[in-house]
C-alpha cells in the first residue's frame, strides 16, 4: 500500500491510525516472509462468523438463534454478561467493512450465514429480507475484489430447532439439507467456496457435554447423538452443495491442537493418544472414511449405537479441501476420574511459553506438526488453514494499536506453515482469525482477535499494526 493510500485509509477509518514511518518500515522489512514464497495460488484471507459480528439479532424478520437465547436467558454463562445483539453492527456496516478489506488488499473473506436469518424457524418459510442481506454482502465482496468463502454453519442453530432437540434429533440431517439447499440455490451462482461446518469439536462438546456454549446442555446421551448426527451432516451438506453449485470448491473445518504427553509415563502416553482421538480425530476420522477412533477412545462405543444401517456409506465425503483451525498446543496427563476422556490438560502457564489472553500457549511448531499429521491421512485433499490468530490485550496510543505480540504470533505460525509446505505438505491457504475484534462467545468482547480494532461504544474501526503488516505483505 502506498503512503497516499495509507493516508486515505486512516482518514476514512480512524484519524491518526498511521504508524510512524520508521516503525512501519521495521514491521514490513523483516525480510523473512514473502508472499511469493507461498506460491501464487495460495489463498489469503481473514475470517469472521455471523453471530460474532452481525448484530441485528431480531431485525428484518430474523428468528431467534440458540446464541440469542443463551445470551439472553443464561446471562451468567457469558463471563461479561454481554451478548451479540449489536456486536460489530456488521448488518448495517458491511459495506464500509468490506471496503476496508479491499483497501487492505485482503483477497478473501470467510464469513458465515445465520441460519435463522434466512429460515427464521429453521425450516419452512424463507425470510426474503435475510436473503437480501447476504445478496448485498456477496455483491459488495465481489465488487471490492474480495472472494466470499461461506461457512454454512458457525454455531447459531435456530432456537426453533433446538426446541425439537437440535443436533441431538436425527431429523437435523434433513433440516440441515433444507437449509444448505436454500443458501446454495440463492448464492451458489456467485459463491464457489463453501465450508459445511465450523469446528464440530467445539460446538458439539461445548454445547452438549460441558454446557458452556449454547444450547448449554450437560448430557452424555445428547452429546453422543449430536456427534453422530453432525458427522452425518458433513456429507449430507456437502452433497447438497455439489448438486446445486457449479464448479463448487467444498470444504469443512476442524479445530485441532498438537498434543504432547506431560512425560513418558505410559499412562500419560496413552492419555495423549486418547486426547488426540478426542480433540483431533473424533469428527475428522469418520469424515475421512476411517470411522470413529474407537481403539484410542473407547467411549466411542456409545456413539456407535446411533449408527443406522446405511450410515457408514454416507459418513465419509471426498472434500476438495479440509480447513485446519489451530491456535495452540495441549499437554495432557492421565486423570481417570474425568468421564469419557480420562485426561486433563497441564495448565498452559506451566509450560514456560508465552500465553495469549485466552490462556492458550503460543506454540508455533504445533501447526507444523498438525499439518504433517493431517497430510499423513490417505486421500487427504488440500489443507487450508481456515483460522489462526491470537487474542492479546490491545492498547490505543495516539490513535494507534501497535499489537506487536499478535503480529509476531502470525509471522511465527506462518513460518511453520511455510516449512511444512516446503517439505511437501499440500497446504493451500491461510485465513487470519479475525478480520476485526468481535464477540468471543462465552468470553464476551474482552479477548481481541482482530487485525482491525473495534471500539464497541462508537463502532470505530482502527487498523492495527498486524493489519498494516498483513496488507503490506499481501501487496508485495
Ligand atoms: C472457534 C471459532 C471462532 C473463535 C476463534 C477464537 O473456533 O472458536 O471458529 O468463532 O472466535 O476460534 O476462539
Amino acid at each position: 500500500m502506498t503512503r497516499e493510500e495509507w493516508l486515505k485509509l486512516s482518514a476514512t477509518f480512524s484519524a491518526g491510525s498511521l504508524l510512524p514511518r520508521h516503525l512501519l518500515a521495521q514491521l514490513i522489512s523483516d525480510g523473512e516472509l514473502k508472499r511469493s514464497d507461498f506460491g501464487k495460488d495460495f489463498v489469503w484471507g481473514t475470517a469472521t462468523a455471523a453471530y460474532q459480528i452481525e448484530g441485528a439479532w431480531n431485525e428484518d424478520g430474523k428468528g431467534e438463534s440458540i446464541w440469542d437465547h443463551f445470551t439472553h436467558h443464561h446471562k451468567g454463562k457469558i463471563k461479561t454478561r454481554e451478548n451479540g445483539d449489536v456486536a460489530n453492527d456488521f448488518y448495517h456496516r458491511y459495506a464500509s467493512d468490506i471496503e476496508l478489506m479491499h483497501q487492505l488488499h485482503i483477497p478473501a473473506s470467510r464469513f458465515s450465514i445465520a441460519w435463522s436469518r434466512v429460515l427464521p424457524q429453521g425450516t419452512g418459510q424463507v425470510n426474503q429480507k435475510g436473503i437480501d442481506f447476504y445478496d448485498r454482502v456477496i455483491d459488495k465482496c465481489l465488487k471490492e475484489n474480495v472472494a466470499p468463502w461461506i461457512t454454512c454453519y458457525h454455531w447459531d442453530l435456530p432456537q426453533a430447532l433446538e426446541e425439537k432437540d437440535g443436533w441431538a434429533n436425527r431429523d437435523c440431517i434433513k433440516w440441515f439439507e433444507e437449509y444448505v439447499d436454500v443458501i446454495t440455490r440463492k448464492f451458489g451462482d456467485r459463491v464457489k467456496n463453501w465450508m459445511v461446518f465450523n469446528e464440530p469439536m467445539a460446538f458439539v462438546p461445548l454445547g452438549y457435554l460441558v454446557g458452556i456454549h449454547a444450547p448449554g446442555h450437560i448430557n452424555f446421551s445428547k452429546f453422543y447423538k449430536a456427534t453422530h448426527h453432525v458427522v452425518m451432516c458433513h456429507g449430507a451438506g456437502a452433497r447438497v452443495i455439489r448438486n446445486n453449485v457449479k464448479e463448487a470448491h467444498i470444504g469443512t473445518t476442524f479445530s485441532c491442537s498438537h498434543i504432547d504427553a506431560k512425560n513418558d509415563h505410559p499412562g500419560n502416553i496413552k492419555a495423549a493418544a486418547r486426547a488426540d482421538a478426542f480433540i483431533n480425530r473424533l469428527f475428522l476420522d469418520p469424515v475421512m472414511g476411517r470411522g470413529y477412533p474407537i481403539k484410542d477412545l473407547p467411549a466411542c462405543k456409545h456413539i456407535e449405537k446411533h449408527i443406522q444401517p446405511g450410515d457408514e456409506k454416507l459418513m465419509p465425503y471426498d472434500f476438495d479441501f479440509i480447513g485446519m483451525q489451530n491456535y495452540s498446543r495441549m499437554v495432557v496427563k492421565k486423570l481417570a476420574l474425568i468421564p469419557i476422556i480420562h485426561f486433563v490438560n497441564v495448565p498452559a502457564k506451566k509450560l514456560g511459553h508465552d500465553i495469549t489472553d485466552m490462556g492458550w500457549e503460543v506454540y508455533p511448531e504445533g501447526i507444523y506438526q498438525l499439518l504433517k499429521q493431517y497430510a499423513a491421512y490417505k486421500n487427504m485433499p488440500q489443507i487450508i488453514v481456515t483460522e489462526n490468530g491470537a487474542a492479546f490485550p490491545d492498547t490505543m496510543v495516539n490513535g494507534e494499536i501497535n499489537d506487536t505480540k499478535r503480529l509476531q504470533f502470525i509471522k511465527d505460525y506462518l513460518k511453520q506453515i511455510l516449512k511444512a509446505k516446503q517439505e511437501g505438505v499440500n497446504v493451500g491457504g491461510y485465513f487470519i482469525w479475525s478480520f476485526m475484534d468481535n464477540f468471543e462467545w462465552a468470553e464476551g468482547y474482552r479477548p481481541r482477535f482482530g487485525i482491525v480494532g473495534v471500539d464497541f461504544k462508537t463502532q470505530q474501526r482502527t487498523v492495527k499494526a498486524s493489519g498494516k503488516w498483513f496488507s503490506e505483505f499481501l501487496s508485495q
Side-chain angles (χ1 to χ4, degrees), residues 52 154-155 198-199 325 327 360 387 433 440-441 449:
Q52 297 181 272
H154 201 127
W155 305 3
N198 181 72
E199 299 193 359
Q325 313 204 152
Y327 292 85
W360 298 341
E387 280 184 26
W433 183 272
E440 179 55 29
W441 311 110
F449 277 93

Side-chain angles (χ1 to χ4, degrees), residues 295-473:
K295 189 172 135 285
D296 291 314
L297 186 68
C300 288
K301 64 179 182 294
H302 300 291
I303 302 172
E304 293 193 323
K305 65 173 181 254
H306 299 293
I307 301 180
Q308 294 190 3
D311 283 6
E312 255 135 345
K313 229 175 64 220
L314 297 171
M315 283 155 60
Y317 186 78
D318 193 7
F319 281 99
D320 300 322
F321 69 93
I322 291 293
M324 170 184 285
Q325 313 204 152
N326 171 249
Y327 292 85
S328 188
R329 170 180 72 148
M330 281 169 54
V331 177
V332 302
K333 62 177 182 191
K334 178 181 172 185
L335 189 57
L337 61 85
I338 304 288
I340 302 177
I341 53 175
H342 311 303
F343 69 81
V344 280
N345 292 356
V346 176
K349 57 176 184 292
K350 289 200 173 160
L351 300 175
H353 295 125
D354 208 0
I355 57 172
T356 72
D357 219 10
M358 297 290 283
W360 298 341
E361 183 193 21
V362 176
Y363 193 76
E365 305 91 284
I367 202 163
Y368 166 82
Q369 302 287 357
L370 287 161
L371 284 164
K372 292 277 188 175
Q373 181 173 339
Y374 272 38
Y377 277 72
K378 184 164 152 257
N379 301 333
M380 177 57 71
Q382 184 172 63
I383 303 163
I384 294 188
V385 177
T386 39
E387 280 184 26
N388 172 247
F392 288 110
D394 291 323
T395 41
M396 168 105 78
V397 179
N398 299 329
E400 286 166 18
I401 301 172
N402 190 11
D403 59 335
T404 45
K405 282 193 169 185
R406 182 175 299 101
L407 178 54
Q408 197 57 49
F409 181 103
I410 292 168
K411 286 181 184 174
D412 289 345
Y413 275 69
L414 274 174
K415 283 179 200 159
Q416 295 291 330
I417 294 168
L418 184 57
K419 180 175 166 209
K421 186 171 163 60
Q422 286 167 342
E423 290 175 16
V425 174
N426 183 11
V427 51
Y430 178 81
F431 288 71
I432 295 179
W433 183 272
S434 179
F435 175 63
M436 53 185 167
D437 297 336
N438 57 48
F439 181 73
E440 179 55 29
W441 311 110
E443 302 289 320
Y445 292 95
R446 184 192 52 87
R448 292 181 169 259
F449 277 93
I451 56 169
V452 172
V454 177
D455 177 336
F456 290 100
K457 288 203 190 75
T458 61
Q459 293 294 350
Q460 174 79 40
R461 274 57 165 157
T462 303
V463 181
K464 302 180 191 177
S466 55
K468 294 176 182 181
W469 173 83
F470 195 42
S471 173
E472 284 291 337
F473 173 84

Side-chain angles (χ1 to χ4, degrees), residues 18-238:
L18 206 64
L19 272 184
R21 265 211 294 187
H22 69 279
L23 192 54
L24 185 59
Q26 190 189 321
L27 286 174
I28 62 181
S29 70
D30 58 317
E32 292 170 36
L33 275 174
K34 283 199 302 304
R35 180 178 179 171
S36 56
D37 294 339
F38 292 81
K40 68 174 182 358
D41 296 326
F42 201 85
V43 181
W44 295 95
T46 53
T48 59
Y51 186 72
Q52 297 181 272
I53 63 166
E54 284 180 4
W57 78 278
N58 60 356
E59 243 177 276
D60 290 339
K62 179 178 168 295
E64 189 186 35
S65 77
I66 54 172
W67 272 94
D68 297 320
H69 191 88
F70 190 66
T71 54
H72 294 161
H73 299 277
H74 304 277
K75 291 198 173 80
K77 295 253 188 172
I78 311 301
K79 288 193 184 149
T80 54
R81 302 181 75 82
E82 293 165 314
N83 58 50
D85 288 4
V86 178
N88 298 42
D89 196 28
F90 182 78
Y91 190 74
H92 300 110
R93 294 168 194 266
Y94 71 91
S96 52
D97 284 334
I98 297 166
E99 279 161 25
L100 180 54
M101 286 179 190
H102 170 84
Q103 282 163 315
L104 292 174
H105 304 298
I106 295 171
S109 169
R110 173 176 173 243
F111 60 93
S112 74
I113 291 183
W115 186 338
S116 67
R117 207 180 278 293
V118 300
L119 284 157
Q121 297 303 308
T123 61
Q125 189 67 43
V126 172
N127 176 31
Q128 187 54 43
K129 289 193 169 161
I131 300 288
D132 293 346
F133 168 64
Y134 293 109
D135 269 333
R136 292 195 297 276
V137 169
I138 291 163
D139 290 343
K140 184 68 179 167
C141 282
L142 296 174
K143 178 160 181 262
E144 300 296 337
N145 271 322
V146 176
W149 285 57
I150 290 185
T151 311
C152 298
Y153 185 76
H154 201 127
W155 305 3
D156 45 358
L157 190 75
Q159 178 65 20
L161 298 181
E162 168 53 23
E163 271 146 34
K164 297 179 188 158
D165 231 4
W167 295 108
N169 181 341
R170 194 173 161 106
D171 286 349
C172 67
I173 303 171
K174 61 176 201 288
W175 304 333
F176 189 60
E177 284 172 334
E178 178 182 337
Y179 161 61
V180 177
D181 186 58
V182 169
I183 58 174
T184 48
R185 278 181 198 282
K186 300 285 183 189
F187 311 128
D189 56 336
R190 285 152 293 157
V191 178
K192 299 299 163 196
N193 301 293
W194 292 85
M195 284 144 288
V196 177
F197 279 111
N198 181 72
E199 299 193 359
M201 184 25 77
F203 77 85
V204 178
L206 299 180
Y208 290 86
L209 187 60
V210 290
I212 62 172
H213 277 192
H217 299 302
I218 303 175
N219 183 319
F220 288 13
S221 160
K222 280 183 196 261
F223 166 69
Y224 293 129
K225 288 181 190 159
T227 297
H228 182 56
H229 300 153
V230 169
V231 163
M232 292 295 291
C233 283
H234 279 78

